Amino acid sequence: MTAVLPAPPPAKPQRLVDLFEYGLDAPICLTWELTYACNLSCVHCLSSSGRRDPRELTTDEAKAVIDEFQRMQIFYVNIGGGEPTVRSDFWELLDYATSHSVGVKFSTNGVKISPEVARRLAANDYVDVQISLDGATAEVNDPIRGPKSYDTALRALQNLSDAGMKNFKISVVCTRQNIPQLDEFKAIADRYGAQLRLTRLRPSGRGADVWDELHPLPEQQKMLYDWLVAHGDGVLTGDSFFHLSAYGEALPGLNLCGAGRVVCLIDPVGDVYACPFAIHDDFKAGNVRSEGGFQRVWRESELFLKLREPQSGGACSSCAFFDTCKGGCMAAKFFTGLPLDGPDPECVQGFGEAALLKVKDQKNALPRSAIDHTHQGAREPKNAMGPIRLTLGRRQGTTALAAAECEEDPLAGFTVR
């Protein structure tokens, strides 16, 4: 895999992470959302999933994309959704990918991880599984992910453990409700022989509606940082928290926003976005159905080439921690109305709070994805956590596909075991 350099790099020796800023000829980490269909309606879903989009890639089109991955030597993909396992051809596509030298890591709420499925997954060395769990107790998890989702996740973990699968993941989106449970999450992972993976809450999709209620408080950011430093390489973060490096010691990982450089997203209808957390037209680079397919989008799209040019750090470039923080998360800034060369909204030096005050009167005009497949009539879950109410209000400018275009029961003919 070689770097695609739009301009010669500086003459002095570079760290590997510095070279990554110029982009690679194939992504290191590619996220592929196979479907928007989902049996749950998680309040923070970044893709606003629920109902299937009838325009999603067909089985043959999906296999053609996998063929491209093989030619480009993309060694594995992160598959998500929606809930990918409710797509009728999911297992066929998983087998096709692994038989074509493309490993698969897929995220699931566990609804279809029966004992039989668990044994099948454990027998495939090229598959990794992430079970989503956003509370170490049902009282914290279920108001976020939906009733009985905690029990469903733990049943899946037990089935994978019983099948002898090793190092599967528990994936946690960190919120102000569950950060006090970090030790409990680690204990759950250890109990089932799993590895804990923590990711950052982003104000994208439905997450924009609950950002104010869910994103960690400043003192919790420090708690999270200290916990991650203490647990070192034993907990995965996927570079979610490089903005926390401004506390001092850099966290393990690239500590880089890799949007359009080393990461990207393919959505269920084949649209390619620079970042899995920025599903918005401003970050759409093309479509895999277009001439030249995914490879041409990745290597030649105007957006991606622009992102691979040397970027200005703006006001952040004068900060002593810019080399590790890099100004934080592009998606978090965009969906909170901050400039992309400005500070992260959760900047631990406090610059994000000051920047947010300048845009607080524009809340109803903040950017919002036009894609929304939320279940029609989805209700706000009863909040068992007390004083923090999940409003699930919608920002202005949201466009939802008509129910008739997407209606499909994602669990038709399926019985939970």
Side-chain angles (χ1 to χ4, degrees):
M1 195 176 288
T2 56
V4 179
L5 306 179
K12 64 180 181 178
Q14 294 289 296
R15 300 172 301 170
L16 184 61
V17 65
D18 295 323
L19 291 175
F20 283 174
E21 292 187 358
Y22 292 97
L24 301 176
D25 63 359
I28 291 176
C29 180
L30 187 149
T31 298
W32 187 7
E33 294 182 344
L34 279 181
T35 184
Y36 285 123
C38 189
N39 57 304
L40 299 180
S41 294
C42 299
V43 300
H44 56 9
C45 179
L46 63 90
S47 58
S48 298
S49 290
R51 292 170 289 126
R52 174 184 174 272
D53 191 316
R55 301 169 299 167
E56 68 185 27
L57 298 176
T58 66
T59 302
D60 287 343
E61 287 176 323
K63 287 181 177 179
V65 172
I66 293 170
D67 291 340
E68 280 197 86
F69 295 163
Q70 183 181 28
R71 290 194 296 271
M72 294 175 70
Q73 296 185 330
I74 297 174
F75 302 117
Y76 82 95
V77 294
N78 291 313
I79 289 181
E83 170 53 46
T85 64
V86 303
R87 183 167 157 147
S88 60
D89 59 358
F90 173 75
W91 306 110
E92 179 183 353
L93 293 175
L94 184 150
D95 289 341
Y96 187 85
T98 58
S99 67
H100 285 72
S101 306
V102 178
V104 172
K105 177 186 293 183
F106 71 92
S107 298
T108 173
N109 56 48
V111 68
K112 286 201 171 184
I113 308 300
S114 64
E116 293 81 7
V117 166
R119 288 192 290 270
R120 176 178 178 179
L121 294 171
N124 191 331
D125 292 335
Y126 297 96
V127 174
D128 193 13
V129 185
Q130 293 187 160
I131 305 297
S132 297
L133 188 69
D134 292 330
T137 58
E139 289 74 20
V140 173
N141 179 85
D142 289 4
I144 303 296
R145 302 191 59 81
K148 303 298 182 182
S149 57
Y150 181 83
D151 293 341
T152 298
L154 261 61
R155 181 170 55 247
L157 294 172
Q158 186 65 62
N159 288 341
L160 290 169
S161 179
D162 291 345
M165 192 165 192
K166 305 297 183 183
N167 293 321
F168 55 94
K169 312 298 186 289
I170 297 176
S171 182
V172 178
V173 177
C174 291
T175 66
R176 72 179 61 168
Q177 288 76 24
N178 66 28
I179 282 196
Q181 298 184 316
L182 292 174
D183 287 336
E184 294 173 69
F185 280 120
K186 185 66 168 61
I188 293 173
D190 292 344
R191 183 193 315 157
Y192 292 107
Q195 189 169 19
L196 184 60
R197 182 176 187 268
L198 303 181
T199 61
R200 184 181 177 186
L201 174 72
R202 265 83 168 193
S204 51
R206 288 197 294 269
D209 299 321
V210 295
W211 168 258
D212 291 338
E213 291 99 329
L214 296 188
H215 80 88
L217 299 170
E219 60 269 25
Q220 291 180 317
Q221 299 275 5
K222 183 62 165 63
M223 182 190 305
L224 173 61
Y225 172 78
D226 290 342
W227 194 88
L228 288 172
V229 169
H231 288 79
D233 295 331
V235 175
L236 302 176
T237 63
D239 278 314
S240 288
F241 303 107
F242 58 91
H243 69 295
L244 298 182
S245 296
Y247 279 124
E249 179 184 346
L251 296 171
L254 292 177
N255 290 306
L256 166 74
C257 173
R261 300 160 173 165
V262 296
V263 305
C264 70
L265 166 78
I266 300 176
D267 82 351
V269 301
D271 286 332
V272 182
Y273 295 87
C275 170
F277 309 107
I279 303 175
H280 188 279
D281 283 349
D282 284 14
F283 301 102
K284 184 163 67 174
N287 189 286
V288 300
R289 285 170 164 148
S290 61
E291 184 179 356
F294 172 72
Q295 178 171 301
R296 184 168 183 178
V297 175
W298 176 258
R299 295 181 179 175
E300 300 179 23
S301 75
E302 182 178 347
L303 172 64
F304 285 179
L305 292 178
K306 183 177 180 180
L307 288 171
R308 293 164 191 166
E309 294 173 356
Q311 303 293 310
S312 167
C316 288
S317 60
S318 61
C319 177
F321 299 100
F322 178 69
D323 281 347
T324 51
C325 172
K326 298 292 185 182
C329 173
M330 177 183 74
K333 288 187 276 191
F334 179 76
F335 288 113
T336 53
L338 301 183
L340 297 186
D341 63 352
D344 189 287
E346 294 183 303
C347 168
V348 301
Q349 299 297 312
F351 298 119
E353 293 178 41
L356 287 172
L357 287 175
K358 297 179 181 179
V359 298
K360 67 177 182 178
D361 295 332
Q362 305 173 27
K363 193 163 186 177
N364 288 334
L366 292 178
R368 180 71 185 241
S369 174
I371 298 172
D372 191 344
H373 292 77
T374 300
H375 292 293
Q376 293 295 306
R379 295 181 179 178
E380 174 186 342
K382 180 180 179 182
N383 185 5
M385 294 176 288
I388 298 175
R389 182 174 182 272
L390 303 181
T391 60
L392 286 186
R394 294 193 179 280
R395 290 181 180 173
Q396 293 180 2
T398 301
T399 302
L401 290 176
E405 293 179 325
C406 295
E407 277 305 341
E408 177 174 296
D409 179 2
L411 293 180
F414 175 72
T415 301
V416 177
R417 298 185 59 180

